[in-house]
Each structure stands twice: as C-alpha cells, then as structure tokens.
C-alpha cells in the first residue's frame, strides 16, 4: 500500500480517525450493564480474529488516517499475548496513539510489560468505591486489586482515567465520592451515561446534566476545560471544579447526542467493522482476510463501509436495535 497517510471521510463530512479494537468477548467480571449474570456463549476459536489479523487491519486503517487506537474487550488482559499485540500496534508505520481500557483486576501484574510497550494512557472502568456494591455490580470481590493497580499505575507515571457508569438504585449515590478521585489526585474521572442496550435495557442511568448539577451543588460552579489536548480524540466534555487537581468528564450520548462529531469505528473480536453502537450492521472483514484479499482490496472495502456510517444513533427512542451486550461489541 501507499504509505502516505490519507483520511477517512464519511458521507456527512466527518473525519474518522479513532479505532476501538475488541481483543476478546471474554471477561472475568459480570458487570450488570455489560454482561448477563449467566455470561454469554463465547465465540468459537476459529470465529475470533487472530492477533496477526487484528494487526493487519489496524495497519491498513492507520494508513487510511486512523491516528488513535483504543484496545478493549471484554477484558483485554484475559487474551493471551495481548501485550505482544499492543507492542506491535505501537510500532505501526504511522505511530498511532495506543490507549488501553481495562477493568483493572489484572492490570497490576501487567503494568511493567505495558510500560515497556510505550503505552502511557490507561482507562480503568470503576463504577464504585464500595466493596459490597462492587461485588453486587461485578459478581466478584476484586475492588482492592483494582485500587492497588490504579495507585501503582499512577506511581509509574501512567496517565489514568477512571470511567464510571452510574445506575439508579445501585451506585448513583456515589457520584461525589468518585469525583473526589479527581480532586485529590492525578486521576481524570469520566462519568458515562448508561447505554440502553443488551442486558442494560432494564436499568436506569443518570443524565450528564443532572450529574453535573449535583456535583456543582457539592463542589462549586464548574468551568469548561479549554485546550486540554483531547479535542477530537473522544466524546467527553471536561470541566474543572474549584480546587480539583484533575478535570471531570461527562460522556452523555443520550442526553447530548454528539453524533455530528463522531469520529469512531469499532473492530469487533469476530472481525466486523462496526460503524455505530446503535445499529447491528457493519461489514465483515474476517472472511476477506482469510480468503486472501490484498491490503488494497481491504482498504477499498473499508472506504466503502465508512460511507455507510449512519448520521446519528437513535438511543433517544429508549431502546437499541443492537441486541448484543457491550461485552460482545467492545466498549
């Protein structure tokens, strides 16, 4: 392929430069909004993209203009040799920024290896700071391990963000407690509105606006973060609260639909290029990969798919067309 970096532009003029890669549909936790309590039927081995196939798709995409890659799951650290893939992603010709999202349970034992890859940014999914609530939400008693991994990551110089989903009647009373992580330490806290899809359909989330008002009542009037270096890299809007060491972010796709600025696509663990969380459709890249397509042919398929990216999601209707749970798609 021509090594000159190009741009992926969809039918609505949006530049697509952010890729989320799901390494696995397996996870050691059973978070209420992400995976059914009984778990899911995992994909067969042959249905899952190999690490070599993932790397190849990623390289083609970076040559088409992807400049930021987030490695997710399931839980990415349960996939064997995940670190070797992360290393290869950091070495792609156009040097995209690589970020990992993890539940943090196994993070502590992988931090040294992750540091050696050159990755400096980690997002930890953490919905509660209370042990009993953590067990209720995830099905495991692993909160202490996550807290220890977070502290270790900070001590090693990683840039850490904590992602929190609040659910009415479960952990919605903890917003202020979790926000204090940003007040007293070098941790950016981001509150994410519940996505009403899959096993989350029967749960009720908290809107970003209501949450911001609650936090302002406790901590004082917030000021928007300007020039934080995150522009175009994701959907969060960030604010400073008085006396805080780090900003607080809100990702609110339901109450503040940000589709007009959407720059993201997803590569699922079974090789589908997913264009929008709401819609179940996308294009299958696994079969062309295994049928001997060239990089040029793969690039043409991707360019064509980008033109099919929907103008907006319809989560505001209160339900999703996509019936899979988040663990099967990649958060």
């Amino acid at each position: 392929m021509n090594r000159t970096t190009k741009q992926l532009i969809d039918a609505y003029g949006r530049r697509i430069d952010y890729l989320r890669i799901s390494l696995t549909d397996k996870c050691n936790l059973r978070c209420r909004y992400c995976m059914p309590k009984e778990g899911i039927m995992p994909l067969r081995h042959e249905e899952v993209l190999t690490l070599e196939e993932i790397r190849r798709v990623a390289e083609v995409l970076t040559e088409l203009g992807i400049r930021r890659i987030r490695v997710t799951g399931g839980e990415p650290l349960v996939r064997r040799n995940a670190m070797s893939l992360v290393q290869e992603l950091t070495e792609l010709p156009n040097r995209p920024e690589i970020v990992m999202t993890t539940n943090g349970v196994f993070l502590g034992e992988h931090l040294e290896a992750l540091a050696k890859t050159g990755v400096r940014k980690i997002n930890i999914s953490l919905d509660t700071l209370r042990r009993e609530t953590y067990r209720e939400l995830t099905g495991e008693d692993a909160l202490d391990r996550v807290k220890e991994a977070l502290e270790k990551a900070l001590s090693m110089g990683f840039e850490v963000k904590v992602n929190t989903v609040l659910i009415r009647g479960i952990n919605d009373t903890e917003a202020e407690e979790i926000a204090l992580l940003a007040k007293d330490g070098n941790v950016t806290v981001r509150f994410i509105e519940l996505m009403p899809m899959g096993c989350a359909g029967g749960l009720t989330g908290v809107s970003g606006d209501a949450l911001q008002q609650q936090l302002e009542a406790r901590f004082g009037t917030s000021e928007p973060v300007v020039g934080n270096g995150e522009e175009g890299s994701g959907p969060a809007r960030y604010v400073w609260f008085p006396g805080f060491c780090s900003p607080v972010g809100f990702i609110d796709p339901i109450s503040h639909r940000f589709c007009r600025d959407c720059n993201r696509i997803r590569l699922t663990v079974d090789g589908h290029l997913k264009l929008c969380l709401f819609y179940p459709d996308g294009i299958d890249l696994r079969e062309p990969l295994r049928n001997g397509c060239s990089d040029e042919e793969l690039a043409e398929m991707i360019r064509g798919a980008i033109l099919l990216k929907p103008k907006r999601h319809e989560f505001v209707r209160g339900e999703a067309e996509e019936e899979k749970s988040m663990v099967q798609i990649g958060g």
Side-chain angles (χ1 to χ4, degrees):
M1 264 182 86
N2 186 334
R3 296 290 176 181
T4 302
T5 301
K6 301 177 183 178
Q7 291 188 359
L8 286 172
I9 307 294
D10 73 6
Y12 304 98
R14 297 172 294 197
R15 186 178 73 169
I16 310 303
D17 57 11
Y18 181 5
L19 171 68
R20 301 176 71 99
I21 297 177
S22 175
L23 296 192
T24 179
D25 61 343
K26 297 182 175 66
C27 187
N28 54 304
L29 301 182
R30 294 291 181 271
C31 296
R32 295 269 299 268
Y33 56 85
C34 187
M35 185 188 291
K37 187 174 183 179
E38 66 276 11
I40 60 168
M41 181 66 70
L43 293 167
R44 300 190 305 273
H45 178 74
E46 62 270 19
E47 295 177 299
V48 175
L49 286 186
T50 67
L51 298 183
E52 291 77 13
E53 289 168 337
I54 293 173
R55 185 204 179 281
R56 185 181 171 199
V57 174
E59 180 167 3
V60 169
L61 280 163
T62 59
E63 291 171 349
L64 292 173
I66 293 295
R67 62 183 181 88
R68 193 168 197 248
I69 296 176
R70 182 177 301 280
V71 177
T72 74
E75 169 50 43
L77 293 176
V78 304
R79 175 130 189 202
R80 184 179 300 175
N81 297 323
M83 282 303 148
S84 64
L85 174 66
V86 171
Q87 181 70 65
E88 292 186 13
L89 294 177
T90 65
E91 296 170 353
L92 289 174
N94 290 310
R95 293 294 191 272
E97 179 184 55
I98 310 298
V99 183
M100 176 174 284
T101 293
T102 170
N103 61 37
V105 176
F106 301 129
L107 178 62
E109 61 203 69
H110 287 91
L111 280 170
E112 284 80 7
L114 189 61
K116 290 178 181 177
T117 69
V119 170
R120 304 310 305 160
K121 296 183 179 182
I122 305 171
N123 285 13
I124 299 177
S125 299
L126 182 60
D127 300 317
T128 177
L129 298 177
R130 302 173 186 174
R131 186 172 181 181
E132 288 304 317
T133 305
Y134 188 92
R135 186 185 290 114
E136 179 185 357
L137 272 170
T138 70
E140 296 290 337
D141 185 9
L143 179 58
D144 287 345
R145 293 180 65 182
V146 179
K147 289 181 175 179
E148 289 169 6
L150 191 156
E151 291 300 324
K152 183 177 179 180
L154 290 173
S155 70
M156 292 176 64
F158 284 96
E159 180 180 324
V160 179
K161 292 178 181 175
V162 165
N163 291 340
T164 298
V165 176
L166 296 177
I167 303 171
R168 293 289 184 192
I170 299 178
N171 64 338
D172 56 317
T173 61
E174 292 189 61
E176 296 167 25
E177 183 179 354
I178 294 171
L180 285 172
L181 292 172
K183 181 179 189 298
D184 302 325
N186 191 29
V187 179
T188 297
V189 174
R190 306 195 305 177
F191 293 99
I192 304 174
E193 286 184 344
L194 181 73
M195 303 291 278
M197 56 188 294
C199 56
L203 302 173
T204 302
V206 180
S207 77
D209 286 343
L211 180 56
Q212 186 171 353
Q213 290 174 10
Q214 177 186 343
L215 295 179
E216 288 187 338
R218 165 73 184 277
F219 301 118
T221 302
S222 63
E223 296 291 338
V225 175
V226 178
N228 66 323
E230 295 287 341
E231 294 84 355
S233 65
R237 54 185 181 86
Y238 293 93
V239 301
W240 286 106
F241 287 101
F244 273 50
C245 296
S246 299
V248 172
F250 302 90
I251 301 178
D252 34 23
I254 311 303
S255 60
H256 288 263
R257 189 162 53 181
F258 41 71
C259 300
R260 69 177 183 179
D261 299 317
C262 182
N263 61 343
R264 292 167 297 289
I265 52 177
R266 288 171 167 79
L267 180 64
T268 65
V269 65
D270 62 350
H272 278 77
L273 193 68
K274 190 170 177 61
L275 307 170
C276 176
L277 265 180
F278 180 83
Y279 296 99
D281 42 347
I283 66 163
D284 177 22
L285 299 180
R286 185 184 66 202
E287 289 309 307
L289 282 168
R290 296 180 180 177
N291 289 332
C293 75
S294 67
D295 285 356
E296 288 76 12
E297 290 168 331
L298 191 62
E300 282 305 309
M301 283 186 280
I302 291 170
R303 288 191 191 98
I306 294 302
L307 294 176
L308 301 176
K309 183 173 171 65
K311 184 176 183 179
R312 60 178 177 267
H313 69 68
E314 295 297 341
F315 283 115
V316 289
R317 297 202 315 241
E319 58 184 21
E321 286 192 7
E322 174 61 84
E323 296 180 353
K324 292 181 179 179
S325 293
M326 289 294 291
V327 71
Q328 296 169 289
I329 298 169

